[in-house]
């Protein structure tokens, strides 16, 4: 019998117990022994749950029990999750987590701590919920240079944008619908302001380039300013508005940001709808690969947590799974102003203005969005170069969006 502990018995924590119970036989076969949840740490009691007798309220009971070899942290939030993770690693226990805030903020230190204590710190469930993405980036893509990673990393905002696209809903109404369906939190700021996606893209950037950026310092724009004009522009240009986390190297330095993009229909990401996530990895030998599936939710996320548990307990894991990341500094972080991409630019004016805009931005043509409103897609430009080119012909953009090619 292998004894483990669960920290946090909310949605993902209780889902992890459910996966371990439901699939106990195959998990035992894969681990070489039965996996038993000896403790559940939570502030609450769960008297009606079959594992309710395992609930404890003191982390030291878990830390001081030598039988517990692994701790699954699913508490959410930075503290005390980070503190308990440090303590568990120091006590020689493996840690797996779904907590993107902790990984994105303290990943460098926690991976180092895991190495120092000869244990593993795994976090497959921290990005893309149940979608395999962390392990594939570390193993299956290991022979590649990663050219870029671009993804729909937040299910709540993708649900809202899909409602806006399919039903012509405005943001506030689509958000209410998301809350009614239980997708968005009562306080949905981390989702709609893009912070959740920012945490996830810095984790993916660290896997791709070995540098962990500060998720609070990367350029992050959410979807609160998206209106029906954005969706109309996307429809006319042939694509969809999506909240994208994107990372690439610019002159050898790491760039990552979160922004609404126009994603043309040729890009498979534009067809990732509803609460689903889609992550497009562009690798120099493989080419493009799309990772698609349930990016949130109880059992999908728990299945990724349990995959990490199995990987560790079956002794298949090794140092390869605990990458050494470095903290970002001025020399390793690209300036967002240097990011070059095509840009959708929208103006109010006449068709003559649209023609001027087309030439100024090196665009192939222009489309009429509605009477007196025109859109073009520029050649690849920095944001400043695009704004200057528009101003140089005496026009003013009413809306601009980067384009994800
Ligand atoms: N709030 C997140 C989302 C949950 O909507 O994607 C999964 O990280």
């Amino acid at each position: 019998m292998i004894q483990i502990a669960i920290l946090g018995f909310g949605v993902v924590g209780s889902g992890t117990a459910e996966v371990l119970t439901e699939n106990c036989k195959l998990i035992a076969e894969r681990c070489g022994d039965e996996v038993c949840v000896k403790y559940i740490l939570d502030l609450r009691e769960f008297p009606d749950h079959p594992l309710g007798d395992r609930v404890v309220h003191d982390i030291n009971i878990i830390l001081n029990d030598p039988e517990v070899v692994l701790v699954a942290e699913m508490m959410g939030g930075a503290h005390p999750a980070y503190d308990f993770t440090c303590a568990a690693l120091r006590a020689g226990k493996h840690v797996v987590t779904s907590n993107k805030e902790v990984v994105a903020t303290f990943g460098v230190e926690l991976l180092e701590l895991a190495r120092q204590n000869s244990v593993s710190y795994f976090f497959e469930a921290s990005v893309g919920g149940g979608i395999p993405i962390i392990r594939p980036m570390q193993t299956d893509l290991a022979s590649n240079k990663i050219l870029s990673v671009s993804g729909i990393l937040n299910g709540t905002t993708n649900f809202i944008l899909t409602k806006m696209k399919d039903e012509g809903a405005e943001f506030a109404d689509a958000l209410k619908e998301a809350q009614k369906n239980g997708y968005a939190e009562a306080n949905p700021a981390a989702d709609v302001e893009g912070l959740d996606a920012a945490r996830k893209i810095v984790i993916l950037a660290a896997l791709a380039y070995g540098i962990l950026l500060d998720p609070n310092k990367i350029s992050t724009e959410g979807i609160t300013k998206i209106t029906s004009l954005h969706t109309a522009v996307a429809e006319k240009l042939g694509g969809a508005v999506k909240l994208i986390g994107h990372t690439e190297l610019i002159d050898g330095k790491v760039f990552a940001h979160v922004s609404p993009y126009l994603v043309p229909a040729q890009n498979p990401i534009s067809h990732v709808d509803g609460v689903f996530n889609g992550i497009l990895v562009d690798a120099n030998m493989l080419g493009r690969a799309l990772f698609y599936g349930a990016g949130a939710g109880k059992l999908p996320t728990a299945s990724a947590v349990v995959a990490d548990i199995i990987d560790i307990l079956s002794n298949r894991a090794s140092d390869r799974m605990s990458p050494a990341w470095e903290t970002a500094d001025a020399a390793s972080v690209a300036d967002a102003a240097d990011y070059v991409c095509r840009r959708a630019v929208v103006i109010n004016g006449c068709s003559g203005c649209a023609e001027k805009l087309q030439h100024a931005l090196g665009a192939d043509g222009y489309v009429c969005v509605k009477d007196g409103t025109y859109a073009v897609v520029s050649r690849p430009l920095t944001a400043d170069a695009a704004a200057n080119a528009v101003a140089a012909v005496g026009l003013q953009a009413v809306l601009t969006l980067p384009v994800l090619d």
Side-chain angles (χ1 to χ4, degrees):
M1 193 91 87
I2 307 171
Q3 308 286 357
I4 70 168
I6 287 176
L7 311 188
F9 209 53
V11 174
V12 183
S14 62
T16 297
E18 196 173 326
V19 173
L20 287 167
T21 307
E22 179 73 24
N23 286 350
C24 65
K25 201 158 166 276
L26 73 87
I27 291 167
E29 278 162 16
R30 288 170 190 175
C31 291
D33 202 350
E34 204 176 312
V35 178
C36 172
V37 177
K38 186 165 184 183
Y39 302 110
I40 293 167
L41 182 82
D42 203 287
L43 293 171
R44 301 160 290 182
E45 297 287 348
F46 298 90
D48 301 328
H49 194 281
L51 300 182
D53 60 338
R54 324 281 163 94
V55 173
V56 295
H57 307 294
D58 179 359
I59 184 71
N60 290 309
I61 295 171
I62 296 167
L63 297 176
N64 294 331
D65 185 338
E67 274 193 352
V68 174
V69 297
L70 182 148
V71 167
E73 184 273 300
M74 289 152 295
M75 306 180 74
H79 300 283
Y82 156 77
D83 314 86
F84 290 175
T85 300
C86 289
L89 294 171
R90 286 201 180 97
K93 301 179 194 304
H94 303 286
V95 177
V96 303
T97 188
S98 59
N99 191 329
K100 58 247 169 187
E101 185 172 354
V102 168
V103 179
T105 312
F106 304 108
V108 174
E109 177 190 340
L110 293 174
L111 287 166
E112 179 56 31
L113 200 54
R115 256 188 309 281
Q116 284 169 6
N117 289 282
S118 305
V119 288
S120 296
Y121 180 56
F122 284 10
F123 43 91
E124 180 62 64
S126 65
V127 179
I131 305 171
I133 180 67
I134 305 288
R135 193 170 283 100
M137 283 196 68
Q138 290 182 283
T139 57
D140 309 295
L141 295 172
S143 62
N144 287 262
K145 280 186 190 160
I146 303 299
L147 303 176
S148 67
V149 183
S150 314
I152 295 172
L153 302 171
N154 183 271
T156 304
T157 46
N158 203 39
F159 175 87
I160 292 170
L161 292 173
T162 304
K163 280 261 158 211
M164 293 177 75
K165 173 179 65 140
D166 291 348
E167 296 170 20
E170 285 294 352
F171 171 75
D173 296 325
L175 171 60
K176 272 190 209 132
E177 184 79 13
Q179 283 170 320
K180 208 170 82 191
N181 281 282
Y183 298 134
E185 313 286 330
N187 177 0
D191 291 319
V192 298
E193 302 288 357
L195 180 57
D196 178 75
R199 290 173 178 144
K200 292 168 178 169
I201 196 63
V202 302
I203 294 171
L204 295 177
L207 288 163
Y209 306 121
I211 306 285
L212 185 64
L213 304 172
D214 183 336
N216 297 305
K217 288 193 183 151
I218 68 167
S219 164
T220 300
E221 184 183 335
I223 63 163
T224 54
K225 295 189 189 113
I226 301 298
T227 66
S228 49
L229 177 61
H230 291 77
T231 40
V233 168
E235 194 188 333
K236 288 287 177 184
L237 288 171
V241 179
K242 295 291 181 190
L243 185 69
I244 298 294
H246 174 82
T247 184
E248 65 177 49
L249 292 179
I250 301 176
D251 294 332
K253 297 181 179 186
V254 184
F255 169 67
H257 76 158
V258 173
S259 169
Y261 271 70
L262 168 70
V263 187
Q266 310 85 278
N267 187 322
I269 291 266
S270 78
H271 307 288
V272 173
D273 281 339
V275 287
F276 284 89
N277 283 191
I279 302 161
L280 195 63
V281 181
D282 194 0
N284 73 332
M285 296 294 136
L286 169 69
R288 287 181 157 194
L290 176 67
F291 297 82
Y292 169 83
K298 181 177 178 171
L299 294 180
T301 308
S303 84
V305 173
V306 176
D308 278 348
I309 294 174
I310 294 171
D311 208 3
I312 291 170
L313 297 183
S314 63
N315 291 319
R316 280 190 278 121
S318 67
D319 277 353
R320 71 177 161 76
M321 297 303 296
S322 291
W325 291 347
E326 287 174 26
T327 305
D329 59 19
S332 57
V333 182
D335 188 339
D338 294 331
Y339 175 55
V340 171
C341 66
R342 298 200 302 149
R343 293 171 194 278
V345 179
V346 181
I347 53 150
N348 288 334
C350 57
S351 60
C353 301
E355 230 169 280
K356 270 203 288 185
L357 184 69
Q358 175 191 338
H359 294 304
L361 292 174
D364 290 337
Y366 62 83
V367 297
C368 177
V369 180
K370 58 183 184 185
D371 255 3
T373 302
Y374 294 86
V376 307
V377 174
S378 77
R379 66 184 169 84
L381 291 167
T382 64
D384 280 354
N388 291 341
V390 175
V393 288
L395 295 169
Q396 203 179 359
V398 292
L399 180 168
T400 61
L401 279 176
V403 174
L404 190 70
D405 283 310

